[in-house]
Amino acid sequence: MKILVIGSGGREHALVWRLAKSERCEELYCAPGNAGICQIADCVDIKDTDVEGIVAFAKDKAIDIVVVGPEAPLCIGLVDALESAGIKAFGPRENAAIMEGSKAFMKDFCKKYNIPTAGYGRFTDIDDAKAFIDKNGVPIVIKTDGLAAGKGVLICQSVEEAYKAAEEMLSGAAFGAAGNEIVIEEFMDGEELSFFAIADGESVLPFGTAQDHKRVGDGDTGLNTGGMGAYSPAHMATPALEKKIMDTIIIPTVDGMKAEGRPYTGVLYAGLMLVNGTPKLIEYNARFGDPECQVIMPRLGNDFLDVIEAAVNGNLKQYGGKLEWSSKSSITVVMASNGYPGSYEKGSVIKNVDEAERYEGVKVFHAGTARNDDGELVNVGGRVLNITAGGDNIGHAKRLAYEAIKKIDWPGGFCRFDIGWRAVKAEEEKAA
Ligand code: AMP
Ligand code: GLY
C-alpha cells in the first residue's frame, strides 16, 4: 500500500514510525515532515493546509490512504476534498471535525445527547455574558468558540478577570474571529486524563489513555505549552473507568454523530476531568494528542495500518471491541528551544540523538527539526525532540528517558525533569 501522512510534528513522526513497521506498507510519504521523518519516509514540501496541493500529490502517486495528523487540515475539509477525488483518508470530515473546531457545537451536542460535561452558556453579547458570570460566580472558565491554537481558554478567579476575558474575546482583540462567540463554563475541579478512541462512523474502539504536562515548568508551573511530555497509560485508568468513559461519553458521541448525519471516522480524543470518580468531558479533539501519540503508538499490539484501513472501510467491528496493548508503560519527554513557549532562536545545532537511541527501549521522535546546509540537525520549531522510553512501569520508563536525554548535546534546548510525576507518586504509594 501507498500511504501519505500529513503533518510535521512529533505526533506525525510516531505515526510514520508505526506505519513503516507494517508489512503491507510499500511506499510511505509525509507532507511536509521533518528531519526525523525524512529518515523513514519520503518528505514532500507541501503545507499541511494546502488542500489542493495534497489532493494533487495523492492523485499523482495513487496513494491508497492519507492519514491526517493535525486539526487544521481536518477543520478545513481535507478529508472531504480527498474523498471527492476518490482517495481514502483517515480522519473526520469537516462536518465531524467541528467537534474540535467549535466548542459551542460540542457543548450543544453534549447537552442533546446527555454526555457529562461542565454546565455552560453561549454568548455573542457582552451584557448577556456578564449577567451569566454574575449569576454563576467564580472560578469560571471562558473559552473562544473557534480554534485559538490551544490558547483560547481562560480560568478566571475573579469576576473582574472574567469580564475582561469575555470583553477581549468578543471584541476580537484577543483571538480575532475565533472569539466572535464565546462559551462560558462551570469550573470542574479534579484530575485530568486524555482518552483516545478510533471510530469508523459506526463502531468505536478504545485507543489508550495518557496524561500530558501542559505547563512549561517543573511542578506544573509557568506558561501553557502544546505539551512538555506525556505518559501512558494514565495512572488512574482501570478497566472499570475505561468502560464508564466508553459507555457514558465515547459511544453516545459516535452514535449521536451518526444520528446527526455527521458520521465520525478517525481519532476521537477526549480531554476528561475526573470529578469525584466521575469522568466529565472538558473538550474533544479530532486527532491524536501531541505528545500523547508518541506514548500510545509504541504500546499498540496490533498492526496500525490494519486498524486504520479497517476504520476507513467501516470494518472496526472485526476487532471484537478491543485492540491489543502492551503491558509496558511509556513516557515521552519533550526537549524544547530555549525561550519556548515565548520567542526562541532557530538554527542551533543538536548532536548525539543517535547515542540517546542506543538505549534499549528508547526512541527519539522529532518535531521542529531540519538539516542545515552542512547536514547538521538544527531546531526550527518550539518543541523539537520527544525522548520516548518504554519500561515495566512509569518510574522505570522515566529513568530510562532521562538517562538517554543526558546523551543529547543541545545547549539551545531544555526539558522538564518531572514528566510522569503523578504516576510515579501513585506507583510509589502502591508499593509502600
Ligand atoms: P481545553 O482547550 O478546552 O482543553 O482547555 C484547556 C485546559 O483548560 C484544560 O486542559 C483544562 O485544564 C482547563 N479547563 C478547560 N475547561 C475547564 C473547566 N470547565 N473546568 C476546569 N478546567 C477547565
Ligand atoms: N497535548 C495536547 C494536545 O495535543 O492537544
Side-chain angles (χ1 to χ4, degrees):
M1 289 179 78
K2 297 180 186 181
I3 313 295
L4 167 64
V5 175
I6 305 300
S8 60
R11 166 181 53 208
E12 287 74 26
H13 192 180
L15 294 173
V16 164
W17 171 77
R18 263 321 291 246
L19 289 165
K21 288 184 187 296
S22 176
E23 271 177 24
R24 292 187 308 129
C25 179
E26 287 159 351
E27 287 179 36
L28 187 53
Y29 300 90
C30 186
N34 60 39
I37 293 174
C38 293
Q39 293 173 342
I40 45 174
D42 283 330
C43 289
V44 281
D45 191 14
I46 306 174
K47 261 187 77 173
D48 63 3
T49 49
D50 178 359
V51 173
E52 270 179 35
I54 291 168
V55 171
F57 178 83
K59 271 166 78 172
D60 182 47
K61 293 285 181 196
I63 297 292
D64 293 298
I65 299 181
V66 177
V67 179
V68 187
E71 65 276 18
L74 294 168
C75 291
I76 57 171
L78 175 60
V79 169
D80 310 58
L82 286 162
E83 285 180 353
S84 298
I87 298 154
K88 291 185 174 179
F90 177 72
R93 292 181 192 140
E94 187 178 355
N95 72 358
I98 190 173
M99 200 55 114
E100 171 163 7
S102 166
K103 292 201 156 57
F105 172 88
M106 172 274 194
K107 297 299 287 189
D108 286 353
F109 176 89
C110 287
K111 192 170 174 185
K112 182 168 174 187
Y113 291 95
N114 272 323
I115 293 164
T117 183
Y120 74 107
R122 291 173 59 169
F123 303 95
T124 50
D125 178 85
I126 186 65
D127 293 328
D128 294 344
K130 284 182 173 172
F132 187 84
I133 294 166
D134 289 341
K135 195 169 121 224
N136 287 276
V138 289
I140 199 160
V141 185
I142 321 265
K143 304 183 174 185
T144 59
D145 170 51
L147 291 179
K151 298 194 178 97
V153 175
L154 286 172
I155 296 169
C156 301
Q157 303 295 344
S158 73
V159 169
E160 294 69 37
E161 207 186 323
Y163 278 8
K164 188 164 165 262
E167 272 162 8
E168 289 180 356
M169 284 181 189
L170 283 173
S171 72
F175 300 101
N180 285 352
E181 177 167 349
I182 60 174
V183 169
I184 306 187
E185 280 181 21
E186 159 205 4
F187 174 78
M188 298 188 287
D189 202 4
E191 191 172 342
E192 285 181 51
L193 78 148
S194 304
F195 187 93
F196 296 88
I198 285 200
D200 67 4
E202 222 173 295
S203 29
V204 57
L205 298 174
F207 206 79
T209 59
Q211 250 189 341
D212 77 342
H213 299 259
K214 289 211 170 93
R215 302 300 190 103
V216 71
D218 282 13
D220 295 316
T221 55
L223 292 173
N224 255 322
T225 71
M228 292 300 293
Y231 74 89
S232 173
H235 73 84
M236 69 284 248
T238 58
L241 179 64
E242 290 189 31
K243 184 172 185 310
K244 202 164 171 183
I245 294 168
M246 287 299 288
D247 290 346
T248 62
I249 298 177
I250 305 292
I251 293 171
T253 296
V254 173
D255 288 349
M257 288 298 271
K258 190 180 165 211
E260 295 288 313
R262 300 170 182 268
Y264 198 98
T265 299
V267 176
L268 187 59
Y269 157 8
L272 302 171
M273 189 74 82
L274 206 53
V275 184
N276 298 324
T278 300
K280 293 191 174 189
L281 186 66
I282 301 171
E283 63 159 358
Y284 266 134
N285 295 304
R287 46 155 180 104
F288 279 116
D290 185 342
E292 290 96 324
C293 184
Q294 292 87 310
V295 284
I296 291 200
M297 279 301 136
R299 300 190 51 244
L300 177 65
N302 302 78
D303 182 301
F304 185 47
L305 182 53
D306 288 349
V307 176
I308 285 196
E309 196 183 13
V312 168
N313 292 332
N315 287 334
L316 282 180
K317 275 208 177 76
Q318 74 185 60
Y319 289 102
K322 201 169 172 297
L323 295 168
E324 291 158 29
W325 295 95
S326 156
S327 59
K328 294 227 169 191
S329 300
S330 60
I331 197 165
T332 191
V333 179
V334 171
M335 288 193 83
S337 303
N338 289 338
Y340 175 80
S343 62
Y344 52 85
E345 284 181 17
K346 296 182 182 177
S348 61
V349 175
I350 305 163
K351 290 189 187 139
N352 297 348
V353 169
D354 47 346
E355 282 191 30
E357 287 194 307
R358 250 173 236 144
Y359 286 89
E360 203 188 316
V362 172
K363 171 77 199 152
V364 179
F365 294 116
H366 291 223
T369 64
R371 300 260 166 210
N372 65 16
D373 292 343
D374 298 327
E376 296 167 308
L377 191 68
V378 296
N379 70 318
V380 290
R383 292 189 293 169
V384 177
L385 297 173
N386 308 140
I387 292 78
T388 309
D392 298 332
N393 57 22
I394 300 295
H396 179 208
K398 182 181 173 186
R399 283 193 298 280
L400 247 176
Y402 283 107
E403 273 300 306
I405 281 182
K406 282 193 207 149
K407 297 285 174 193
I408 294 178
D409 176 7
W410 181 32
F414 74 99
C415 67
R416 273 181 63 164
F417 285 96
D418 64 345
I419 299 304
W421 68 267
R422 287 189 184 83
V424 173
K425 192 169 155 231
E427 282 170 359
E428 284 168 0
E429 281 168 6
K430 214 167 155 192

